[in-house]
Amino acid sequence: MSLRATARIAADADGGLPLLVGDGPLALRRTRAQGSYTRVTVVGAMSAPLGGDRLAIEAEVRDGARLLVDAAAATLALPGRSTEPAAYDVRISVGEEGVLRWLPEQLVSVHGSELRMRTTVELAATARLVLREEQILGRHGEPSGTLVTRLTVRRAGRPLLDQELAFGPGAPGGWDGGAVLGGHRATGQLLVVDPAFAVKPVDARPIGEHAVVTPLAGPAALVTAVAPEALVLRGLLDAALADLAPC
């Protein structure tokens, strides 16, 4: 039987969490604060998402609030009894002067799985955002499952970024070719949105051999990276995070 579950977070400027509700496999825990950020950790309570599951997380960062969301472990997209793809939706809003650091662990696309993940973000004009996504295509020594991810971000009501990625046997041909992954099995993105970039834009530049920083109109910067494995990918994105958004 397929699972339906939605977890919800709301953060206030005084550090409070007026809404912190886990559901099904998405358990939420308030954990030790990191600097000035209220911190919430997503703890997987069971194996999910499986084929046919419909999971969601909704996060509201209210005006002036500072929230860090991370995870206790990687998320594994697994095959299930249903032939339907699993769906995982993340819906985020950040109010005026709000700050969100969304730093989950890796998403692992297990062989035989099919997952469609959608992340939608609405930002106020003075909001700041750090959002990291990491996709690991198969466990060690196995082929990837089918994974489709879409990231849509709007700032002050205007489109900032709308990007879709598709990997695995259900994706269009060429996804693992030289023009896309070049044989790598780990890929990730780091999006940083900061009004300060309007005054001092980020320069386009490479990070090592397999990552690049791209300035976006908005003001924002997008880091895109590929790597042979998860540890190398995290190192590339951590280096970019320290440079673009150290706190």
Side-chain angles (χ1 to χ4, degrees):
M1 183 175 180
S2 299
L3 182 67
R4 304 289 188 273
T6 300
R8 296 179 173 89
I9 308 166
D12 277 340
D14 63 2
L17 292 169
L19 183 63
L20 187 66
V21 180
D23 190 13
L26 301 172
L28 304 178
R29 301 288 183 266
R30 181 166 189 161
T31 46
R32 181 175 296 179
Q34 188 174 89
S36 61
Y37 290 87
T38 301
R39 182 181 177 192
V40 172
T41 299
V42 181
V43 180
M46 62 181 74
S47 295
L50 304 174
D53 287 353
R54 299 290 183 268
L55 307 183
I57 297 182
E58 298 176 351
E60 178 190 5
V61 182
R62 296 174 179 173
D63 292 355
R66 298 171 66 89
L67 178 65
L68 166 66
V69 178
D70 59 11
T75 296
L76 270 66
L78 298 163
R81 293 182 179 179
S82 173
T83 58
E84 293 295 316
Y88 194 162
D89 291 328
V90 177
R91 298 182 284 269
I92 295 168
S93 66
V94 186
E96 298 290 353
E97 303 294 339
V99 185
L100 174 63
R101 294 170 76 90
W102 188 269
L103 301 172
E105 291 300 308
Q106 296 93 351
L107 170 62
V108 182
S109 180
V110 172
H111 179 57
S113 68
E114 184 174 356
L115 173 65
R116 298 181 182 276
M117 184 167 184
R118 177 79 185 254
T119 301
T120 305
V121 184
E122 292 285 346
L123 301 174
T126 57
R128 288 188 286 154
L129 172 71
V130 172
L131 184 148
R132 181 182 69 207
E133 293 185 333
E134 297 169 291
Q135 298 90 25
I136 311 302
L137 305 178
R139 293 173 294 192
H140 181 72
E142 75 174 8
S144 176
T146 296
L147 175 61
V148 179
T149 71
R150 185 163 185 173
L151 173 60
T152 303
V153 183
R154 294 174 60 86
R155 176 179 177 269
R158 292 186 170 187
L160 175 68
L161 177 67
D162 194 352
Q163 173 178 280
E164 183 171 287
L165 305 173
F167 308 107
W175 63 271
D176 57 349
V180 185
L181 293 181
H184 292 93
R185 284 296 180 267
T187 184
Q189 305 80 42
L190 178 73
L191 175 66
V192 180
V193 183
D194 190 334
F197 291 163
V199 178
K200 187 178 180 181
V202 173
D203 294 327
R205 60 188 183 274
I207 301 176
E209 187 178 355
H210 298 297
V212 64
V213 180
T214 304
L216 303 178
L222 178 66
V223 180
T224 304
V226 297
E229 48 98 12
L231 186 62
V232 175
L233 176 67
R234 178 61 60 86
L236 290 168
L237 296 181
D238 279 352
L241 178 59
D243 180 39
L244 295 171
C247 61

